[in-house]
Amino acid sequence: QDQKKVRAGNHRITIPGEALTTDSLVTIGRVNRTHGVKGELRVSPFTDSPDLFSRYNRLYFRLTGGERGLDELVQIIEARPHKNIVLLKLKGVFTREAAARFVGAEVLIPRAWLPPTEAGEYYWTDLIGLKVIDERGLGLGRIERIFQNGDHDILVLKEGDREILLPFLNDVVISVDCGAGIITASPPDGLLDL
């Protein structure tokens, strides 16, 4: 079955993000925890290409906890893929304790730094908040977030208290119109009955 995701179908999603960010910053990953004793960070990338992190010598970090809401620009000494994560070494961070303040932080870049998309390609951040309708024009909900289940990407739609998990596949998503803020979909039989 054709999938609508990176390198599949005609609607490629290049860089996932959990939510649309403010001030033109786009989330490209999240710091999970520290790595080792020399201050490295383990980052879950929201990108199909972990080498994106090594393209930049600086990244923004949106800190959580007591420093929540503070976007801090930090110089990157090293970024390297490791299994399904990215290991980051930051300038001035030499111990596990110093690195701990970044745990839970979003990793962001200015939207202008992103590679341009081709026709039919979208960033997840562009899809968050779009209204999804069926072929008859009936509203199914707005995209609250997107995640990958291993086989394909899933749009999480919210309409009031109802949540719908819509697969982002060629035979389900008919069209994407970011300018109009609408995605037209043909949900699989029985999906709306759950």
Side-chain angles (χ1 to χ4, degrees), residues 84-157:
N84 61 345
I85 61 159
V86 174
L87 296 175
L88 290 181
K89 179 70 176 150
L90 309 180
K91 182 177 183 178
V93 178
F94 304 108
T95 66
R96 178 181 295 169
E97 294 73 25
R101 73 184 283 261
F102 293 95
V103 172
E106 293 178 44
V107 182
L108 308 105
I109 60 173
R111 183 172 185 86
W113 294 5
L114 291 172
T117 59
E118 296 177 16
E121 291 184 329
Y122 308 96
Y123 291 110
W124 279 14
T125 57
D126 295 335
L127 301 179
I128 303 294
L130 294 187
K131 181 178 181 178
V132 179
I133 60 172
D134 66 14
E135 306 98 319
R136 298 169 297 175
L138 298 175
L140 301 176
R142 291 202 176 269
I143 300 174
E144 183 177 82
R145 62 188 172 89
I146 302 170
F147 67 91
Q148 190 171 40
N149 76 352
D151 292 331
H152 53 271
D153 301 312
I154 303 290
L155 306 176
V156 179
L157 313 181

Side-chain angles (χ1 to χ4, degrees), residues 2-17 46-52 55 111 114-127 146 148 152-153 155 168-170 173-176 178 183:
D2 261 349
Q3 301 176 16
K4 289 184 182 295
K5 67 174 196 173
V6 175
R7 293 190 232 55
N10 60 358
H11 298 290
R12 192 176 108 190
I13 297 177
T14 306
I15 298 181
F46 298 156
T47 171
D48 65 321
S49 180
D51 70 331
L52 177 74
R55 293 181 192 169
R111 183 172 185 86
L114 291 172
T117 59
E118 296 177 16
E121 291 184 329
Y122 308 96
Y123 291 110
W124 279 14
T125 57
D126 295 335
L127 301 179
I146 302 170
Q148 190 171 40
H152 53 271
D153 301 312
L155 306 176
F168 200 59
L169 300 169
N170 284 339
V173 175
I174 298 167
S175 67
V176 177
C178 290
I183 291 179

Side-chain angles (χ1 to χ4, degrees), residues 25-42:
L25 292 177
V26 176
T27 303
I28 62 168
R30 185 175 316 279
V31 178
N32 292 331
R33 61 185 177 97
T34 60
H35 179 79
V37 295
K38 295 183 180 181
E40 286 187 303
L41 299 171
R42 294 174 64 94

Side-chain angles (χ1 to χ4, degrees), residues 172-193:
V172 176
V173 175
I174 298 167
S175 67
V176 177
D177 186 343
C178 290
I182 295 176
I183 291 179
T184 304
S186 176
D189 290 338
L191 179 72
L192 302 179
D193 300 329

